[in-house]
Amino acid sequence: MRILVVEDERRLLGIITKQLKKKGYSVDAVDNGLEAEGYLGAADYDCVVLDRMLPGKNGTDILRDIRRSGNTVPVLLLTAMDSINDRVNGLDAGADDYLVKPFSFDELFARVRALTRRNSKQKSTLLQIADLELDTASQKVRRGGQDIHLSTKEYMLLEYMMHNLGIVLSRDQIIEHIWNFDYECGSNVVDVYIRYLRRKIDDGHGQVLIHTLRGRGYVLREES
Ligand code: CA
């Protein structure tokens, strides 16, 4: 899951970003409206946490413009003013939800979780292929009934592949989805993580689920 956080209070931006990363999200953080627009044009996000009052261009204007251009990314609007007009303006502009400052981080995470879930193609939190199961709510992975422990990045990679069963994913697509712009990737980082995942998911099982398509990328699927 990839999230853009836009907030001009640097300390708050730092804390939100750090905490979301700790929860396993890939996060890009920006502190002004114009830069935020650039990021929104350049990448596909699963959710945007957007402050309302920003230098450069304010949150509601950004929101109105991206909705006009057909971008349906879930947006959680942060607003410092707890007046009914601000809420109505925010929702009118196309926000999916809003939070009034000051807010608790638990509440922020609960809203982000709800928005990313609403956005995901599968309504159920359980993703499945053959005897491999991944629960996006508990972040538990099992194969053949056995729990499998994955690192944060391994989990994100597997979840992305399970959302795209049978679809060949290129290295660039995987990097774009799992690693953020700050990350300076070696070109083989995807291959390294695929190798880790194979060791945990496929090794010791009769049926292999992760397949390499030379020159194209990787796919998760059942092959007879
Ligand atoms: Ca602000």
Side-chain angles (χ1 to χ4, degrees):
M1 290 279 176
R2 188 166 177 188
I3 298 188
L4 178 66
V5 181
V6 191
E7 168 60 71
D8 59 317
E9 287 169 50
R10 298 301 294 269
R11 210 179 61 88
L12 185 57
L13 177 67
I15 297 170
I16 295 175
T17 302
K18 191 171 155 206
Q19 296 295 329
L20 284 173
K21 280 182 178 168
K22 230 190 246 175
K23 302 252 176 201
Y25 295 102
S26 167
V27 183
D28 289 316
V30 297
D31 64 0
N32 75 81
L34 294 175
E35 211 180 330
E37 272 196 325
Y39 275 70
L40 283 163
D44 271 337
Y45 291 97
D46 298 292
C47 183
V48 181
V49 177
L50 182 64
D51 188 29
R52 193 172 170 282
M53 300 292 280
L54 291 166
K57 182 166 182 175
N58 78 43
T60 34
D61 288 341
I62 292 172
L63 195 49
R64 216 164 260 134
D65 286 352
I66 64 166
R67 292 299 187 237
R68 224 170 257 154
S69 73
N71 188 336
T72 59
V73 61
V75 173
L76 175 63
L77 199 67
L78 305 179
T79 172
M81 291 155 292
D82 185 13
S83 82
I84 195 78
N85 278 344
D86 287 322
R87 293 182 196 192
V88 171
N89 287 343
L91 296 174
D92 274 354
D96 298 270
D97 201 355
Y98 63 88
L99 260 184
V100 176
K101 293 178 185 175
F103 48 80
S104 80
F105 288 109
D106 284 344
E107 184 163 16
L108 176 77
F109 299 137
R111 305 277 180 110
V112 166
R113 224 167 23 240
L115 287 178
T116 51
R117 199 177 301 149
R118 204 185 297 167
N119 192 38
S120 94
K121 282 172 210 142
Q122 254 110 339
K123 287 276 184 285
S124 157
T125 62
L126 194 68
L127 304 173
Q128 212 168 353
I129 175 174
D131 57 351
L132 175 66
E133 293 177 350
L134 180 150
D135 187 337
T136 58
S138 63
Q139 304 203 336
K140 287 236 162 74
V141 176
R142 293 156 74 87
R143 180 145 191 201
Q146 297 281 312
D147 286 335
I148 296 173
H149 180 74
L150 299 180
S151 73
T152 302
K153 283 280 187 270
E154 290 164 358
Y155 173 84
M156 288 166 74
L157 176 58
L158 183 62
E159 186 188 294
Y160 181 49
M161 294 182 87
M162 289 194 81
H163 273 298
N164 291 282
L165 287 180
I167 298 171
V168 179
L169 300 168
S170 70
R171 287 176 179 78
D172 284 349
Q173 277 176 304
I174 293 172
I175 286 175
E176 151 106 349
H177 193 87
I178 314 259
W179 281 272
N180 56 21
F181 283 126
D182 294 339
Y183 187 79
E184 288 176 29
C185 293
S187 60
N188 69 341
V189 65
V190 173
D191 309 78
V192 169
Y193 274 88
I194 289 281
R195 200 154 60 230
Y196 293 158
L197 258 192
R198 279 198 164 122
R199 210 171 290 155
K200 294 183 177 180
I201 299 298
D202 276 341
D203 279 9
H205 292 269
Q207 188 184 21
V208 167
L209 297 174
I210 301 172
H211 304 272
T212 307
L213 283 93
R214 196 157 296 175
R216 292 174 61 203
Y218 297 101
V219 61
L220 194 65
R221 70 182 173 210
E222 290 185 74
E223 284 180 2
S224 49

